[in-house]
Amino acid sequence: MVAVHGGALVRPSISITLPDVESVPSLKRLGFVNVSRFDSVLRGGGGGGGVRLRSLQPIKAMEDSTASVVNDSAAISCKSIRQMSTMGKSTNILWHKSSVDKLDREQLLQQKGCVIWITGLSGSGKSTLACSLSRSLHSRGKLAYILDGDNCRHGLNRNLSFKAEDRAENIRRIGEVAKLFADAGVICIASLISPYRKDRDACRSLLPEGDFIEVFMDVPLEVCEARDPKGLYKLARAGKIKDFTGIDDPYEPPLNCEIVLRQKGMNCASPTPCDLAETVISYLDEKGYLQA
């Protein structure tokens, strides 16, 4: 409060006394020092009044910031040390769980995340089906994303060839990315030849039971070769492309896939890509993936 004396404002002296650092160890640990010994005075302007401060002032940031919280919560407990993992060449890694999980994201999107894995020979209509399926889901207000084999080789997998070991790595990478999309609540459509059964099965094992939906484009080699939309069969027959699936590299058809789609015509006219997409959508709807 400011008093009036003889027409003039008078600021009273205020003395603030806080605990001595030496008597409060927790304050000392936080890097404060009692500067009252230096008789510091902050003086106000006019009236001769002032504020005498006996307080605690921070002098520097603690070099070891964890020292002050060791007794309250350990940064790395014995339990967390035991949870450290080694995955391949990655050592001393720890999985950090998010406070927002897959169910939360699915509730937000009003759908269930999954992977639709479209496999088949080159020219069997995988990419055409993927695009048609994506468009149909979009029109229903469902969020989907396509991982196309050729598209992924433009970036993520551009350092991989078509040799067996690189093909396996190509599938592994796309499988891991597809798993992340499914965990985000997205309906992920993976469209790639993926010729080897063991590689597809490895991707299936990454997801919860039922969330990997394998779609086999069961189109005969002669039909695919007759279509030859990229001209690759012609180059493979001429020996200009090596390790081409169906010509000099095997394709292993699925044994227990969820959906088999067949086309016999050369121009994909019967059934149409939209008809095939509706078959997949009917499966998704029946299994509850189109609602949360």
Side-chain angles (χ1 to χ4, degrees):
M1 181 178 295
V2 179
V4 179
H5 182 69
L9 296 178
V10 178
R11 298 178 185 272
S13 295
I14 302 174
S15 178
I16 303 173
T17 302
L18 294 178
D20 187 77
V21 174
E22 303 302 325
S23 65
V24 187
S26 60
L27 295 175
K28 187 175 181 180
R29 285 202 307 272
L30 290 172
F32 287 88
V33 60
N34 195 327
V35 296
S36 59
R37 73 189 71 171
F38 304 120
D39 196 28
S40 297
V41 176
L42 300 179
R43 299 194 178 276
V51 178
R52 182 175 297 276
L53 183 65
R54 297 182 67 240
S55 65
L56 305 175
Q57 297 292 331
I59 56 173
K60 67 181 184 69
M62 294 294 288
E63 293 181 359
D64 185 1
S65 60
T66 61
S68 63
V69 295
V70 167
N71 293 331
D72 298 324
S73 63
I76 302 178
S77 66
C78 293
K79 181 179 178 180
S80 65
I81 290 175
R82 287 196 298 271
Q83 291 174 340
M84 290 293 186
S85 304
T86 296
M87 302 294 289
K89 296 180 180 179
S90 297
T91 60
N92 300 319
I93 55 176
L94 179 66
W95 183 268
H96 292 274
K97 184 174 176 59
S98 172
S99 59
V100 179
D101 61 16
K102 182 182 180 183
L103 182 60
D104 296 321
R105 293 184 284 269
E106 290 177 337
Q107 289 291 333
L108 180 68
L109 295 171
Q110 286 298 295
Q111 63 183 49
K112 289 185 173 68
C114 63
V115 173
I116 301 170
W117 193 279
I118 306 174
T119 177
L121 291 168
S122 177
S124 61
K126 300 181 300 300
S127 296
T128 302
L129 171 62
C131 290
S132 182
L133 180 57
S134 178
R135 173 54 59 185
S136 294
L137 287 169
H138 182 80
S139 68
R140 287 169 169 80
K142 303 304 174 183
L143 182 61
Y145 192 85
I146 298 173
L147 293 176
D148 181 84
D150 278 7
N151 289 359
C152 289
R153 284 182 176 273
H154 279 77
L156 177 67
N157 296 334
R158 64 184 178 185
N159 62 328
L160 300 176
S161 71
F162 287 92
K163 295 185 181 296
E165 59 273 17
D166 278 1
R167 282 191 157 185
E169 175 61 14
N170 177 60
I171 301 306
R172 187 195 71 79
R173 292 182 190 179
I174 294 178
E176 290 286 354
V177 174
K179 179 183 74 172
L180 295 178
F181 272 104
D183 187 60
V186 176
I187 298 172
C188 181
I189 306 168
S191 169
L192 57 166
I193 295 173
S194 46
Y196 308 132
R197 197 175 295 125
K198 65 179 179 61
D199 295 331
R200 298 193 302 267
D201 289 344
C203 291
R204 179 187 291 272
S205 70
L206 295 173
L207 285 96
E209 183 71 25
D211 285 0
F212 185 92
I213 302 161
E214 191 171 21
V215 179
F216 174 36
M217 300 297 292
D218 186 10
V219 181
L221 173 62
E222 56 271 20
V223 174
C224 294
E225 190 168 357
R227 292 175 179 173
D228 201 10
K230 303 174 187 176
L232 299 179
Y233 282 102
K234 184 177 181 180
L235 293 174
R237 291 293 187 188
K240 296 180 180 179
I241 296 179
K242 301 296 182 183
D243 305 315
F244 191 78
T245 302
I247 304 300
D248 56 354
D249 201 66
Y251 177 80
E252 300 172 355
L255 299 178
N256 296 294
C257 61
E258 283 71 19
I259 301 173
V260 178
L261 300 176
R262 294 183 174 89
Q263 278 187 323
K264 302 300 182 183
M266 300 299 179
N267 58 3
C268 304
S270 179
T272 67
C274 287
D275 294 334
L276 298 177
E278 285 303 315
T279 300
V280 179
I281 287 176
S282 295
Y283 178 92
L284 295 174
D285 194 23
E286 177 186 340
K287 297 298 181 180
Y289 285 100
L290 300 186
Q291 54 271 336

